[in-house]
Coordinates of all heavy atoms in Angstrom, one line a residue:
M16 N 0.8 -1.2 0.0 CA 0.0 0.0 0.0 C 0.9 1.3 0.0 O 1.9 1.3 0.6 CB -0.9 0.0 1.2 CG -1.8 1.2 1.3 SD -3.0 1.0 2.6 CE -3.7 2.6 2.5
H17 N 0.4 2.3 -0.7 CA 1.2 3.5 -0.8 C 1.2 4.2 0.6 O 0.3 4.1 1.4 CB 0.5 4.4 -1.8 CG 0.5 3.9 -3.2 ND1 1.6 3.7 -3.9 CD2 -0.5 3.5 -4.0 CE1 1.3 3.2 -5.1 NE2 0.0 3.1 -5.2
D18 N 2.2 5.0 0.8 CA 2.2 5.8 2.0 C 1.3 7.0 1.7 O 0.9 7.3 0.6 CB 3.6 6.2 2.4 CG 4.3 7.1 1.5 OD1 3.9 7.2 0.3 OD2 5.3 7.8 1.9
L19 N 1.0 7.8 2.8 CA 0.0 8.9 2.6 C 0.5 10.0 1.7 O -0.3 10.5 0.9 CB -0.3 9.4 4.0 CG -1.1 8.5 4.9 CD1 -1.2 9.1 6.3 CD2 -2.5 8.3 4.3
T20 N 1.8 10.3 1.8 CA 2.3 11.4 0.9 C 2.2 11.0 -0.6 O 1.9 11.8 -1.4 CB 3.7 11.8 1.3 OG1 4.5 10.6 1.3 CG2 3.7 12.4 2.7
T21 N 2.4 9.7 -0.9 CA 2.3 9.3 -2.3 C 0.9 9.3 -2.7 O 0.6 9.8 -3.8 CB 2.9 7.9 -2.4 OG1 4.2 7.8 -1.9 CG2 2.8 7.4 -3.8
M22 N 0.0 8.9 -1.8 CA -1.4 8.9 -2.2 C -1.9 10.4 -2.4 O -2.7 10.6 -3.4 CB -2.3 8.3 -1.1 CG -2.0 6.8 -0.9 SD -2.8 6.1 0.5 CE -4.5 6.2 0.2
L23 N -1.4 11.3 -1.6 CA -1.8 12.7 -1.8 C -1.2 13.3 -3.1 O -1.9 14.0 -3.8 CB -1.3 13.5 -0.6 CG -2.2 13.5 0.6 CD1 -1.5 14.3 1.7 CD2 -3.6 14.0 0.4
S24 N 0.0 12.9 -3.4 CA 0.6 13.5 -4.6 C 0.0 13.0 -5.9 O 0.2 13.6 -6.9 CB 2.1 13.2 -4.5 OG 2.4 11.9 -4.7
T25 N -0.7 11.9 -5.8 CA -1.3 11.3 -7.0 C -2.7 11.8 -7.3 O -3.3 11.4 -8.3 CB -1.2 9.8 -7.0 OG1 -2.0 9.3 -5.9 CG2 0.2 9.3 -7.0
L26 N -3.3 12.5 -6.3 CA -4.6 13.0 -6.5 C -4.7 14.0 -7.7 O -3.8 14.9 -7.8 CB -5.1 13.7 -5.2 CG -5.5 12.9 -4.0 CD1 -5.9 13.7 -2.9 CD2 -6.5 11.9 -4.4
K27 N -5.7 13.9 -8.5 CA -5.9 14.8 -9.6 C -7.2 15.5 -9.4 O -8.3 14.9 -9.4 CB -5.9 14.1 -10.9 CG -4.7 13.3 -11.2 CD -3.5 14.2 -11.5 CE -2.3 13.4 -11.8 NZ -1.1 14.0 -11.4
R28 N -7.2 16.8 -9.1 CA -8.4 17.6 -8.8 C -8.3 18.9 -9.7 O -7.2 19.3 -10.1 CB -8.5 18.0 -7.3 CG -8.6 16.8 -6.4 CD -9.8 16.0 -6.6 NE -9.9 14.8 -5.8 CZ -9.6 13.6 -6.1 NH1 -9.2 13.3 -7.3 NH2 -9.8 12.6 -5.2
P29 N -9.4 19.5 -9.9 CA -9.4 20.8 -10.7 C -8.5 21.8 -10.1 O -8.4 22.0 -8.9 CB -10.9 21.2 -10.7 CG -11.7 20.0 -10.4 CD -10.8 19.2 -9.5
R30 N -7.7 22.5 -11.0 CA -6.7 23.4 -10.6 C -7.3 24.5 -9.7 O -6.7 24.9 -8.7 CB -6.0 24.0 -11.8 CG -4.8 24.8 -11.4 CD -4.2 25.4 -12.7 NE -4.0 24.4 -13.7 CZ -3.5 24.6 -14.9 NH1 -3.0 25.8 -15.2 NH2 -3.4 23.7 -15.8
L31 N -8.4 25.0 -10.0 CA -9.0 26.1 -9.2 C -9.4 25.7 -7.8 O -9.2 26.4 -6.9 CB -10.3 26.7 -10.0 CG -10.9 27.9 -9.3 CD1 -9.9 29.1 -9.2 CD2 -12.1 28.3 -10.1
L32 N -9.9 24.5 -7.7 CA -10.2 23.9 -6.4 C -9.0 23.7 -5.5 O -9.0 24.1 -4.4 CB -10.9 22.6 -6.6 CG -11.6 21.9 -5.4 CD1 -12.6 22.8 -4.8 CD2 -12.2 20.6 -5.8
V33 N -7.9 23.3 -6.1 CA -6.6 23.1 -5.4 C -6.0 24.4 -5.0 O -5.6 24.6 -3.9 CB -5.6 22.3 -6.3 CG1 -4.2 22.2 -5.6 CG2 -6.1 20.9 -6.5
R34 N -6.1 25.4 -5.9 CA -5.6 26.7 -5.5 C -6.4 27.4 -4.4 O -5.8 28.0 -3.5 CB -5.6 27.7 -6.8 CG -4.6 27.3 -7.8 CD -4.6 28.2 -9.0 NE -4.5 29.6 -8.6 CZ -4.9 30.6 -9.4 NH1 -5.3 30.3 -10.7 NH2 -4.7 31.9 -9.1
A35 N -7.7 27.2 -4.4 CA -8.5 27.8 -3.3 C -8.2 27.0 -2.0 O -8.1 27.7 -0.9 CB -10.0 27.6 -3.7
A36 N -8.0 25.7 -2.1 CA -7.6 25.0 -0.9 C -6.3 25.4 -0.3 O -6.1 25.5 0.9 CB -7.7 23.5 -1.2
R37 N -5.3 25.6 -1.2 CA -4.0 26.1 -0.7 C -4.1 27.4 0.0 O -3.4 27.6 1.1 CB -3.0 26.2 -1.9 CG -2.5 24.9 -2.4 CD -1.3 25.1 -3.4 NE -0.9 23.9 -3.9 CZ -0.8 23.6 -5.2 NH1 -1.0 24.5 -6.1 NH2 -0.4 22.4 -5.6
M38 N -4.9 28.3 -0.5 CA -5.1 29.6 0.2 C -5.8 29.4 1.5 O -5.4 30.0 2.5 CB -5.9 30.5 -0.7 CG -5.2 30.9 -1.9 SD -6.2 31.9 -3.1 CE -6.5 33.3 -2.2
G39 N -6.7 28.5 1.6 CA -7.4 28.2 2.9 C -6.6 27.5 3.9 O -6.7 27.7 5.1
A40 N -5.7 26.7 3.4 CA -4.8 25.9 4.3 C -3.8 26.8 5.0 O -3.3 26.4 6.1 CB -4.0 24.9 3.5
Q41 N -3.6 28.0 4.6 CA -2.7 28.9 5.3 C -3.3 29.3 6.6 O -2.6 29.6 7.5 CB -2.4 30.1 4.4 CG -1.6 29.8 3.2 CD -1.5 31.1 2.3 OE1 -2.0 32.1 2.6 NE2 -0.8 30.9 1.2
E42 N -4.7 29.3 6.7 CA -5.4 29.6 7.9 C -5.9 28.4 8.7 O -6.8 28.6 9.5 CB -6.5 30.6 7.6 CG -6.1 31.9 6.9 CD -5.2 32.7 7.8 OE1 -5.5 32.8 9.0 OE2 -4.3 33.3 7.2
Y43 N -5.4 27.2 8.3 CA -6.0 26.0 8.9 C -5.7 26.0 10.4 O -4.6 26.2 10.9 CB -5.3 24.8 8.2 CG -5.8 23.5 8.8 CD1 -7.1 23.0 8.6 CD2 -4.9 22.7 9.5 CE1 -7.5 21.8 9.1 CE2 -5.3 21.4 10.0 CZ -6.6 21.0 9.8 OH -7.1 19.8 10.2
N44 N -6.8 25.7 11.2 CA -6.7 25.5 12.6 C -7.3 24.2 12.9 O -8.5 23.9 12.8 CB -7.5 26.6 13.3 CG -7.5 26.5 14.8 OD1 -7.7 25.5 15.4 ND2 -7.2 27.6 15.5
R45 N -6.4 23.3 13.3 CA -6.8 21.9 13.5 C -8.0 21.7 14.5 O -9.0 21.0 14.2 CB -5.6 21.1 14.0 CG -5.9 19.6 14.1 CD -4.5 18.9 14.4 NE -4.6 17.5 13.9 CZ -5.0 16.5 14.6 NH1 -5.3 16.7 15.9 NH2 -5.0 15.3 14.1
D46 N -7.9 22.4 15.6 CA -9.0 22.2 16.6 C -10.4 22.7 16.1 O -11.4 22.0 16.3 CB -8.7 23.0 17.9 CG -7.5 22.5 18.6 OD1 -7.3 21.2 18.5 OD2 -6.7 23.2 19.2
R47 N -10.4 23.8 15.4 CA -11.6 24.3 14.9 C -12.1 23.6 13.6 O -13.2 23.1 13.5 CB -11.5 25.8 14.6 CG -12.7 26.5 14.2 CD -12.6 28.0 14.1 NE -11.6 28.3 13.0 CZ -10.6 29.1 13.1 NH1 -10.3 29.7 14.3 NH2 -9.8 29.3 12.1
H48 N -11.2 23.4 12.6 CA -11.7 22.9 11.4 C -11.9 21.4 11.4 O -12.9 20.9 10.9 CB -10.6 23.2 10.3 CG -10.6 24.6 10.0 ND1 -9.6 25.5 10.4 CD2 -11.4 25.4 9.2 CE1 -9.8 26.7 10.0 NE2 -10.8 26.7 9.2
L49 N -11.0 20.6 12.0 CA -11.1 19.2 12.0 C -12.3 18.7 12.8 O -13.0 17.8 12.4 CB -9.8 18.6 12.5 CG -9.6 17.1 12.2 CD1 -9.7 16.9 10.7 CD2 -8.3 16.6 12.7
Q50 N -12.6 19.4 13.9 CA -13.7 19.0 14.7 C -15.0 19.2 13.9 O -16.0 18.4 14.0 CB -13.8 19.7 16.1 CG -12.7 19.1 17.0 CD -12.9 19.5 18.4 OE1 -13.6 20.5 18.7 NE2 -12.4 18.7 19.3
R51 N -15.1 20.3 13.2 CA -16.3 20.6 12.4 C -16.5 19.5 11.3 O -17.6 19.1 11.1 CB -16.2 21.9 11.8 CG -17.5 22.3 11.0 CD -17.4 23.7 10.4 NE -16.5 23.6 9.2 CZ -15.4 24.4 9.1 NH1 -15.1 25.3 10.0 NH2 -14.7 24.3 8.0
I52 N -15.4 19.0 10.8 CA -15.5 18.0 9.7 C -15.8 16.6 10.2 O -16.6 15.9 9.7 CB -14.3 18.1 8.8 CG1 -14.2 19.4 8.1 CG2 -14.3 16.9 7.8 CD1 -12.9 19.7 7.4
L53 N -15.0 16.2 11.2 CA -15.0 14.8 11.7 C -16.0 14.6 12.8 O -16.3 13.5 13.2 CB -13.6 14.3 12.1 CG -12.6 14.3 11.0 CD1 -11.3 13.8 11.5 CD2 -13.0 13.4 9.8
G54 N -16.4 15.7 13.5 CA -17.3 15.6 14.6 C -16.5 15.9 15.9 O -15.3 15.8 15.9
Y55 N -17.2 16.2 16.9 CA -16.6 16.6 18.2 C -16.1 15.4 18.9 O -16.6 14.3 18.8 CB -17.6 17.5 19.0 CG -17.8 18.8 18.3 CD1 -18.9 19.0 17.5 CD2 -16.9 19.8 18.4 CE1 -19.1 20.2 16.9 CE2 -17.1 21.0 17.8 CZ -18.2 21.2 17.0 OH -18.4 22.4 16.4
G56 N -15.2 15.6 19.8 CA -14.6 14.5 20.6 C -13.1 14.6 20.4 O -12.5 15.6 19.9
A57 N -12.4 13.6 20.8 CA -10.9 13.5 20.7 C -10.5 13.5 19.3 O -11.1 12.7 18.5 CB -10.4 12.3 21.5
L58 N -9.6 14.3 19.0 CA -9.1 14.4 17.6 C -8.1 13.3 17.3 O -7.2 13.0 18.2 CB -8.4 15.7 17.3 CG -9.3 17.0 17.3 CD1 -8.4 18.2 17.1 CD2 -10.3 16.9 16.2
P59 N -8.2 12.6 16.2 CA -7.2 11.6 15.9 C -5.9 12.2 15.5 O -5.8 13.4 15.2 CB -7.8 10.9 14.6 CG -8.7 11.9 14.0 CD -9.2 12.8 15.1
R60 N -4.9 11.4 15.5 CA -3.5 11.8 15.1 C -3.6 12.2 13.6 O -4.5 11.8 12.9 CB -2.5 10.7 15.3 CG -2.3 10.5 16.8 CD -1.3 9.4 17.0 NE -1.0 9.3 18.4 CZ 0.0 8.7 18.9 NH1 1.0 8.3 18.2 NH2 0.1 8.6 20.2
P61 N -2.6 13.0 13.2 CA -2.6 13.5 11.8 C -2.8 12.4 10.7 O -3.5 12.5 9.8 CB -1.3 14.3 11.6 CG -1.1 14.8 13.0 CD -1.5 13.7 13.9
A62 N -2.1 11.3 10.9 CA -2.1 10.2 9.9 C -3.5 9.6 9.8 O -4.1 9.4 8.7 CB -1.1 9.1 10.2
A63 N -4.1 9.3 11.0 CA -5.5 8.8 11.0 C -6.5 9.8 10.5 O -7.4 9.4 9.7 CB -5.8 8.3 12.4
A64 N -6.3 11.0 10.9 CA -7.2 12.0 10.4 C -7.1 12.2 8.9 O -8.2 12.3 8.2 CB -6.9 13.4 11.1
L65 N -5.9 12.1 8.4 CA -5.7 12.3 6.9 C -6.4 11.1 6.2 O -7.0 11.3 5.1 CB -4.2 12.4 6.6 CG -3.8 12.7 5.2 CD1 -4.5 14.0 4.8 CD2 -2.3 12.9 5.1
M66 N -6.2 9.9 6.7 CA -6.9 8.8 6.0 C -8.4 9.0 6.0 O -9.0 8.7 4.9 CB -6.5 7.5 6.8 CG -5.1 7.0 6.5 SD -4.7 6.6 4.8 CE -5.8 5.2 4.6
R67 N -9.0 9.4 7.1 CA -10.5 9.6 7.1 C -10.9 10.7 6.2 O -11.9 10.6 5.5 CB -10.9 9.9 8.6 CG -12.3 10.2 8.7 CD -13.1 8.9 8.5 NE -14.5 9.2 8.7 CZ -15.5 8.9 7.8 NH1 -15.2 8.2 6.7 NH2 -16.7 9.2 8.0
L68 N -10.1 11.8 6.2 CA -10.4 12.9 5.3 C -10.3 12.5 3.8 O -11.1 12.9 3.0 CB -9.4 14.1 5.5 CG -9.6 14.8 6.9 CD1 -8.4 15.7 7.1 CD2 -10.9 15.6 6.9
M69 N -9.3 11.7 3.5 CA -9.2 11.2 2.1 C -10.4 10.3 1.7 O -10.8 10.4 0.5 CB -7.9 10.5 1.9 CG -6.7 11.4 2.0 SD -5.1 10.5 1.9 CE -5.1 10.0 0.2
E70 N -10.9 9.5 2.6 CA -12.1 8.7 2.3 C -13.3 9.6 2.0 O -14.0 9.4 1.1 CB -12.4 7.8 3.5 CG -11.4 6.7 3.7 CD -11.7 5.9 5.0 OE1 -12.8 6.1 5.5 OE2 -10.8 5.2 5.4
L71 N -13.5 10.6 2.9 CA -14.6 11.5 2.7 C -14.5 12.3 1.4 O -15.4 12.5 0.7 CB -14.7 12.5 3.9 CG -15.1 11.9 5.2 CD1 -14.9 12.9 6.4 CD2 -16.5 11.4 5.2
E72 N -13.3 12.8 1.1 CA -13.0 13.6 -0.1 C -13.2 12.7 -1.3 O -13.7 13.2 -2.3 CB -11.6 14.2 0.0 CG -11.4 15.2 -1.1 CD -10.9 14.7 -2.5 OE1 -10.4 13.6 -2.5 OE2 -11.1 15.4 -3.5
R73 N -12.8 11.5 -1.3 CA -13.0 10.6 -2.5 C -14.5 10.5 -2.8 O -14.9 10.6 -4.0 CB -12.4 9.2 -2.2 CG -12.4 8.3 -3.4 CD -11.8 7.0 -3.1 NE -10.4 7.1 -2.5 CZ -10.1 6.7 -1.3 NH1 -10.9 6.1 -0.5 NH2 -8.8 6.8 -0.9
G74 N -15.3 10.4 -1.8 CA -16.8 10.3 -2.1 C -17.3 11.6 -2.7 O -18.1 11.6 -3.6
L75 N -16.8 12.7 -2.2 CA -17.3 14.0 -2.7 C -16.8 14.2 -4.1 O -17.5 14.8 -5.0 CB -16.8 15.2 -1.8 CG -17.7 15.5 -0.7 CD1 -17.1 16.7 0.1 CD2 -19.1 16.0 -1.2
D76 N -15.6 13.8 -4.4 CA -15.0 13.9 -5.8 C -15.8 13.0 -6.8 O -16.1 13.4 -7.9 CB -13.6 13.5 -5.8 CG -12.9 14.1 -7.1 OD1 -13.0 15.3 -7.4 OD2 -12.3 13.2 -7.8
E77 N -16.3 11.9 -6.3 CA -17.1 11.0 -7.2 C -18.4 11.7 -7.4 O -19.0 11.7 -8.6 CB -17.3 9.7 -6.5 CG -16.1 8.8 -6.5 CD -16.2 7.5 -5.7 OE1 -17.4 7.2 -5.2 OE2 -15.2 6.8 -5.6
Q78 N -19.0 12.4 -6.4 CA -20.2 13.2 -6.6 C -20.0 14.3 -7.6 O -20.8 14.5 -8.5 CB -20.7 13.8 -5.3 CG -21.4 12.8 -4.4 CD -21.9 13.5 -3.2 OE1 -21.3 14.4 -2.6 NE2 -23.1 13.0 -2.7
R79 N -18.9 15.0 -7.5 CA -18.6 16.1 -8.4 C -18.5 15.6 -9.9 O -19.1 16.2 -10.8 CB -17.2 16.7 -8.0 CG -16.8 17.8 -9.0 CD -15.4 18.3 -8.6 NE -14.3 17.3 -8.8 CZ -13.8 17.0 -10.0 NH1 -14.2 17.7 -11.1 NH2 -12.8 16.1 -10.1
K80 N -17.8 14.5 -10.1 CA -17.6 13.9 -11.4 C -18.9 13.4 -12.0 O -19.1 13.5 -13.2 CB -16.6 12.8 -11.4 CG -15.2 13.2 -11.2 CD -14.3 12.0 -11.1 CE -12.8 12.5 -10.9 NZ -11.9 11.3 -10.7
A81 N -19.8 13.0 -11.1 CA -21.1 12.5 -11.6 C -22.2 13.6 -11.7 O -23.3 13.3 -12.1 CB -21.6 11.4 -10.6
D82 N -21.8 14.8 -11.5 CA -22.7 15.9 -11.5 C -23.9 15.7 -10.6 O -25.1 16.0 -10.9 CB -23.2 16.3 -12.9 CG -22.1 16.9 -13.7 OD1 -21.3 17.6 -13.1 OD2 -22.1 16.7 -14.9
D83 N -23.7 15.1 -9.4 CA -24.7 14.8 -8.4 C -25.2 16.1 -7.8 O -24.5 17.0 -7.5 CB -24.1 13.9 -7.3 CG -25.1 13.3 -6.3 OD1 -26.1 14.0 -6.0 OD2 -24.9 12.2 -5.9
A84 N -26.6 16.1 -7.7 CA -27.2 17.3 -7.1 C -26.8 17.5 -5.7 O -26.9 18.6 -5.2 CB -28.7 17.3 -7.3
G85 N -26.4 16.5 -5.0 CA -26.1 16.6 -3.6 C -24.6 17.0 -3.3 O -24.2 17.2 -2.2
Y86 N -23.9 17.3 -4.4 CA -22.5 17.7 -4.3 C -22.4 19.1 -3.7 O -23.1 20.0 -4.0 CB -21.8 17.7 -5.6 CG -20.4 18.3 -5.6 CD1 -19.4 17.7 -5.0 CD2 -20.2 19.6 -6.2 CE1 -18.1 18.2 -5.0 CE2 -18.9 20.1 -6.2 CZ -17.9 19.5 -5.6 OH -16.6 20.0 -5.6
S87 N -21.5 19.2 -2.7 CA -21.3 20.5 -2.0 C -19.9 21.0 -2.2 O -18.9 20.4 -1.7 CB -21.6 20.4 -0.5 OG -21.2 21.5 0.2
L88 N -19.7 22.1 -3.0 CA -18.4 22.6 -3.3 C -17.8 23.2 -2.0 O -16.6 22.9 -1.7 CB -18.5 23.7 -4.3 CG -17.2 24.5 -4.6 CD1 -16.2 23.5 -5.2 CD2 -17.5 25.6 -5.6
P89 N -18.5 23.9 -1.1 CA -17.9 24.3 0.1 C -17.4 23.2 1.0 O -16.3 23.2 1.6 CB -19.0 25.1 0.8 CG -19.9 25.5 -0.2 CD -19.9 24.4 -1.3
R90 N -18.2 22.1 1.1 CA -17.7 20.9 1.9 C -16.5 20.3 1.2 O -15.6 19.9 2.0 CB -18.9 19.9 1.9 CG -18.5 18.6 2.5 CD -18.9 18.5 3.9 NE -18.7 17.1 4.4 CZ -18.1 16.9 5.6 NH1 -17.7 17.8 6.3 NH2 -18.0 15.6 6.0
H91 N -16.4 20.2 -0.1 CA -15.3 19.6 -0.8 C -14.0 20.5 -0.5 O -13.0 20.0 -0.2 CB -15.6 19.6 -2.3 CG -14.7 18.6 -3.0 ND1 -14.8 18.3 -4.3 CD2 -13.6 17.9 -2.6 CE1 -13.9 17.5 -4.7 NE2 -13.1 17.2 -3.7
L92 N -14.2 21.8 -0.6 CA -13.1 22.7 -0.3 C -12.6 22.6 1.2 O -11.4 22.5 1.4 CB -13.5 24.2 -0.6 CG -12.5 25.2 -0.6 CD1 -11.3 24.8 -1.5 CD2 -13.0 26.5 -1.0
D93 N -13.6 22.5 2.1 CA -13.2 22.3 3.5 C -12.4 21.0 3.7 O -11.4 21.0 4.4 CB -14.5 22.2 4.4 CG -15.0 23.5 4.8 OD1 -14.4 24.6 4.6 OD2 -16.2 23.6 5.3
L94 N -12.8 20.0 3.0 CA -12.0 18.7 3.1 C -10.6 18.8 2.6 O -9.7 18.3 3.2 CB -12.8 17.6 2.5 CG -14.0 17.0 3.2 CD1 -14.8 16.1 2.3 CD2 -13.5 16.3 4.5
L95 N -10.5 19.5 1.4 CA -9.2 19.6 0.8 C -8.3 20.5 1.7 O -7.1 20.2 1.8 CB -9.3 20.2 -0.6 CG -9.8 19.3 -1.6 CD1 -10.1 20.0 -2.9 CD2 -8.9 18.1 -1.9
I96 N -8.9 21.5 2.3 CA -8.1 22.4 3.2 C -7.6 21.6 4.4 O -6.4 21.6 4.8 CB -8.9 23.6 3.7 CG1 -9.1 24.6 2.5 CG2 -8.3 24.3 4.9 CD1 -10.2 25.7 2.8
A97 N -8.5 20.8 5.0 CA -8.1 20.0 6.1 C -7.1 18.9 5.7 O -6.1 18.7 6.5 CB -9.3 19.3 6.7
M98 N -7.2 18.3 4.5 CA -6.2 17.4 4.1 C -4.8 18.0 3.9 O -3.8 17.4 4.4 CB -6.6 16.8 2.7 CG -7.8 15.8 2.8 SD -8.5 15.3 1.2 CE -7.0 14.7 0.3
M99 N -4.8 19.2 3.4 CA -3.5 19.9 3.2 C -2.9 20.3 4.6 O -1.7 20.1 4.8 CB -3.7 21.1 2.4 CG -3.9 20.8 0.9 SD -4.1 22.4 0.0 CE -4.4 21.7 -1.6
G100 N -3.8 20.7 5.5 CA -3.3 21.1 6.8 C -2.8 19.9 7.6 O -1.7 19.9 8.2
E101 N -3.5 18.8 7.5 CA -3.0 17.5 8.2 C -1.8 17.0 7.6 O -0.9 16.5 8.2 CB -4.2 16.5 8.2 CG -5.3 16.9 9.1 CD -5.0 17.0 10.5 OE1 -4.3 16.1 11.1 OE2 -5.4 18.0 11.1
A102 N -1.7 17.1 6.2 CA -0.5 16.6 5.6 C 0.8 17.4 6.0 O 1.8 16.9 6.2 CB -0.6 16.7 4.1
Q103 N 0.6 18.7 6.2 CA 1.7 19.6 6.7 C 2.1 19.2 8.1 O 3.2 19.1 8.4 CB 1.3 21.0 6.6 CG 1.2 21.6 5.2 CD 0.6 23.0 5.2 OE1 0.2 23.5 6.2 NE2 0.6 23.6 4.0
L104 N 1.1 18.9 9.0 CA 1.4 18.5 10.3 C 2.1 17.1 10.3 O 3.0 16.9 11.1 CB 0.1 18.4 11.1 CG -0.6 19.7 11.5 CD1 -2.0 19.4 12.1 CD2 0.2 20.5 12.4
L105 N 1.6 16.2 9.5 CA 2.3 14.9 9.4 C 3.7 15.0 8.9 O 4.6 14.4 9.5 CB 1.5 14.0 8.4 CG 1.9 12.6 8.3 CD1 1.8 11.8 9.7 CD2 1.1 11.8 7.3
Q106 N 3.9 15.8 7.9 CA 5.3 16.0 7.4 C 6.2 16.7 8.5 O 7.3 16.3 8.6 CB 5.2 16.9 6.1 CG 6.5 17.0 5.4 CD 6.4 17.8 4.2 OE1 5.5 18.5 3.9 NE2 7.4 17.6 3.3
A107 N 5.6 17.6 9.2 CA 6.4 18.3 10.3 C 6.8 17.3 11.4 O 7.9 17.3 11.9 CB 5.7 19.5 10.8
S108 N 5.9 16.4 11.7 CA 6.1 15.4 12.7 C 7.1 14.3 12.3 O 7.8 13.7 13.2 CB 4.8 14.7 13.2 OG 4.3 13.8 12.2
R109 N 7.3 14.1 11.0 CA 8.2 13.1 10.5 C 9.6 13.7 10.2 O 10.5 13.0 10.0 CB 7.7 12.5 9.2 CG 6.5 11.6 9.5 CD 6.1 10.9 8.2 NE 5.0 10.0 8.4 CZ 4.4 9.3 7.5 NH1 4.7 9.5 6.2 NH2 3.4 8.5 7.8
A110 N 9.7 15.1 10.2 CA 11.0 15.7 9.9 C 12.0 15.4 11.0 O 11.6 15.4 12.2 CB 10.8 17.2 9.8
P111 N 13.2 15.1 10.7 CA 14.2 14.9 11.7 C 14.5 16.1 12.5 O 14.6 17.2 11.9 CB 15.4 14.4 10.9 CG 15.2 15.0 9.5 CD 13.7 15.1 9.3
L112 N 14.7 15.9 13.8 CA 15.0 17.1 14.6 C 16.5 17.4 14.4 O 17.4 16.5 14.4 CB 14.8 16.7 16.1 CG 13.3 16.4 16.5 CD1 13.3 15.9 17.9 CD2 12.5 17.6 16.2
Q113 N 16.8 18.7 14.4 CA 18.2 19.1 14.1 C 18.7 19.9 15.3 O 18.1 20.6 15.9 CB 18.3 19.9 12.8 CG 18.0 19.0 11.7 CD 18.2 19.8 10.3 OE1 18.8 20.8 10.3 NE2 17.7 19.2 9.3

């Protein structure tokens, strides 16, 4: 199975959606954003949160591609922002201490 960073790097999403998510990720606040998306309670570690976010985002992307009336662009953007924020946290936690 691929590692999380490889899985993220292979995602293909519309350029405008990714650009908007990058801008939003600059203001990402894990406590506020992740609880709104995943529900209240204890927050999972970044890797577990990222896996859950990727599952949710995959479903929304399928809705987008199918032109489903239930597709929510703001929800999709929130998920991408959270994915980018969690990926940054995961990368920072794996960085060697100097």
Side-chain angles (χ1 to χ4, degrees):
M16 180 169 175
H17 299 290
D18 69 342
L19 289 174
T20 54
T21 303
M22 292 170 69
L23 281 174
S24 66
T25 60
L26 288 179
K27 302 292 182 209
R28 300 298 180 258
R30 189 179 315 182
L31 186 58
L32 189 60
V33 172
R34 285 179 57 197
R37 280 189 186 130
M38 291 173 64
Q41 294 173 359
E42 301 295 322
Y43 180 68
N44 179 310
R45 188 171 206 268
D46 293 329
R47 186 174 63 232
H48 292 102
L49 197 56
Q50 285 195 341
R51 185 180 72 237
I52 294 169
L53 297 181
Y55 292 96
L58 293 176
R60 291 182 178 200
L65 190 53
M66 287 297 294
R67 180 69 181 128
L68 291 167
M69 289 176 70
E70 291 172 16
L71 294 170
E72 191 275 337
R73 187 176 307 117
L75 273 177
D76 197 55
E77 289 173 6
Q78 284 183 324
R79 178 187 65 82
K80 289 178 181 176
D82 288 328
D83 189 324
Y86 172 71
S87 171
L88 177 61
R90 173 97 171 133
H91 198 172
L92 190 55
D93 279 346
L94 283 169
L95 287 172
I96 289 169
M98 285 170 57
M99 288 180 183
E101 291 298 311
Q103 289 172 354
L104 291 172
L105 184 62
Q106 188 176 19
S108 70
R109 289 184 177 175
L112 298 175
Q113 296 184 15

